[in-house]
Amino acid sequence: MRIASFNINGVKARLPRLIEWLEETRPAVACLQEIKSQDESFPAAEFEKIGYRAIWHGQKGFNGVAILADGVEPVEAQRTLPGDPEDLHARYIEADVNGVRIACIYLPNGNPQPGPKFDYKLAWMDRLRARMAELWAQEIPCAVVGDFNVIPEDKDVWSPAAMASDALMQPESRAAYRRLLADGWTDAIDTLNPRGGVWTFWDYQAGAWPRDHGFRIDHLLLSPELADRMTAAGVDKEYRGREKASDHAPVWVEIGD
């Protein structure tokens, strides 16, 4: 079972690239972030043509998350992140697929920092930790995946100095991410690439892609029930170099039977 995550940066703008990736790699589950689509205009029919069923939580112009499953219907379990009824951003959705609970997240960026956007990011991470604790307590196979907008360590960025003032790698952001791991969740990419140097995002500006000036912010966190069955994990880096690509590359983990 391959579980993948892809910040698509506009599902309609990148639809040909997204369909291409799905058909070429065929993940059992594909979690999407930044679909930037209202619910009624999400192109579910296009995915059904190639065998994928979907649930989604959309928002006009920005944010938005979706879970696609190959050949089966994702069974929605949770549509928003609990803890703040006034938070209307479409950043979280959960579903059961083939006996696995999948949580797809688009964590707030937090820039500029300091300020209210950074405060919102940290509060969101606290709420995420609380929800993940609830999932942990259920002792079910679970993957929490998506764009976390956190560079966990210096080894996860091409130049720590270049990103030093960014919300993605502030001590508070990193500490909140480490708390998730300390709670017992496994970072799939990091576990299999402990020396770092693996990027998932390259900005459109300043020649970041051709110069390989990237960093890792798209993560796959696994409960013990899945971590014990992990056989491989990686980044589909080549898709970042294709025409009209997202600024993120897909990430994935393989789970054995």
Side-chain angles (χ1 to χ4, degrees), residues 75-125:
V75 180
E76 185 174 318
Q78 180 76 31
R79 177 157 285 261
T80 58
L81 185 64
D84 184 357
E86 296 183 359
D87 184 1
L88 302 179
H89 286 197
R91 295 183 176 274
Y92 189 92
I93 195 166
E94 266 178 44
D96 290 316
V97 182
N98 295 330
V100 177
R101 176 64 58 86
I102 305 291
C104 174
I105 79 164
Y106 176 46
L107 204 146
N109 178 285
N111 283 304
Q113 69 81 29
K117 291 187 176 181
F118 190 60
D119 295 341
Y120 171 58
K121 177 193 189 86
L122 298 179
W124 208 95
M125 295 187 79

Side-chain angles (χ1 to χ4, degrees), residues 151-158 160 174 190 193-199 216:
I151 299 170
E153 300 181 53
D154 285 357
K155 67 181 182 179
D156 299 309
V157 57
W158 71 276
R174 288 178 160 183
D190 184 62
N193 299 272
R195 298 180 65 181
V198 176
W199 318 144
R216 187 173 76 95

